[in-house]
Every structure is written in structure tokens, then in C-alpha cells.
């Protein structure tokens, strides 16, 4: 079993920054994908950024140049540095891990960007 715990959400003004963290624990294998997804009210969950086992990072077009995904393998932790936040970034942000055909999700952390 895998557990994912996110932290770092909050309420900020447009243009400000936040850093999300996700700590993974449990039966974690070296070959896996980890990522951040978000879901705004009334919208489908969407991928924000993800990193493959080979270290390849992909970003949604809407966050390129503003968000940075990073990881600390020793701590089984991934981060999402979010700069120049916009009101449209408001959503619940979820950490996700995929390995061996299984998908795991964290409980989510709310990010609210006020104009």
C-alpha cells in the first residue's frame, strides 16, 4: 500500500507563490511516475506536472514557465513550486503516484488565488 500526504496549499494573492509538498510512504518501487493534478470546481481533474522514472518532467501548457516540479528521492518527496499564481490556478491539488499498474492519490490540498 502507498500513502501520499500533501501540504503547502493556502490562500494567496495573484502574482504570489506557493510551494506544495507530497511525501510518499509505503511500498514504493523505483519504477514509477509521480505527478501533481488539480481539480477546480465544476471541472475535470487535470494533469499539472509529472515526472517519470527516467526523470522526464512534463507540464501542462497553462503552467509552463510558472510552475516547477522537483523531487527528492532520498525523502520520497516531490514538490511543486508555483510562481506568478493566477486566479485560474485555484483548485484542489492532488499528488499522484503510478506504479505496477496501480494509481494512488493523496487527499488533496486547496490552493486559492485571489485577484
Amino acid at each position: 500500500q502507498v500513502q501520499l500526504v500533501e501540504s503547502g496549499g493556502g490562500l494567496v494573492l495573484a502574482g504570489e507563490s506557493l510551494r506544495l509538498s507530497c511525501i510518499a510512504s509505503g511500498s514504493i518501487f523505483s519504477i514509477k511516475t509521480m505527478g501533481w493534478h488539480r481539480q477546480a470546481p465544476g471541472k475535470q481533474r487535470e494533469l499539472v506536472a509529472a515526472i517519470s522514472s527516467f526523470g522526464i518532467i512534463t507540464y501542462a501548457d497553462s503552467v509552463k514557465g510558472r510552475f516547477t516540479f522537483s523531487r527528492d528521492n532520498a525523502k520520497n518527496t516531490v514538490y511543486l513550486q508555483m510562481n506568478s499564481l493566477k486566479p485560474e490556478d485555484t483548485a484542489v491539488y492532488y499528488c499522484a503516484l503510478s506504479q505496477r499498474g496501480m494509481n494512488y492519490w493523496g487527499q488533496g490540498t486547496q490552493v486559492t488565488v485571489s485577484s
Side-chain angles (χ1 to χ4, degrees):
Q1 196 55 273
V2 173
Q3 295 79 42
L4 303 172
V5 178
E6 305 103 332
S7 61
L11 171 63
V12 297
L13 295 174
E16 294 185 339
S17 300
L18 280 174
R19 188 193 194 205
L20 305 182
S21 300
C22 172
I23 300 175
S25 61
S27 300
I28 300 168
F29 299 98
S30 59
I31 300 177
K32 61 185 178 293
T33 297
M34 292 193 72
W36 289 96
H37 298 246
R38 67 186 181 187
Q39 187 166 18
K43 295 187 177 181
Q44 289 189 329
R45 191 172 298 190
E46 63 175 358
L47 175 68
V48 177
I51 188 167
S52 71
S53 297
F54 304 102
I56 298 172
I57 301 174
T58 57
Y59 294 96
D61 288 341
S62 59
V63 307
K64 284 180 180 177
R66 300 188 298 121
F67 291 12
T68 303
F69 187 110
S70 62
R71 68 180 176 184
D72 184 334
N73 287 330
K75 297 181 179 179
N76 277 332
T77 301
V78 294
Y79 306 94
L80 186 68
Q81 177 66 43
M82 305 185 294
N83 298 330
S84 301
L85 282 161
K86 304 176 181 180
E88 50 263 45
D89 295 318
T90 295
V92 178
Y93 284 70
Y94 296 91
C95 179
L97 184 151
S98 299
Q99 62 180 19
R100 298 197 175 186
M102 298 290 291
N103 299 317
Y104 303 90
W105 297 89
Q107 81 287 352
T109 185
Q110 177 70 46
V111 171
T112 303
V113 184
S114 173
S115 57

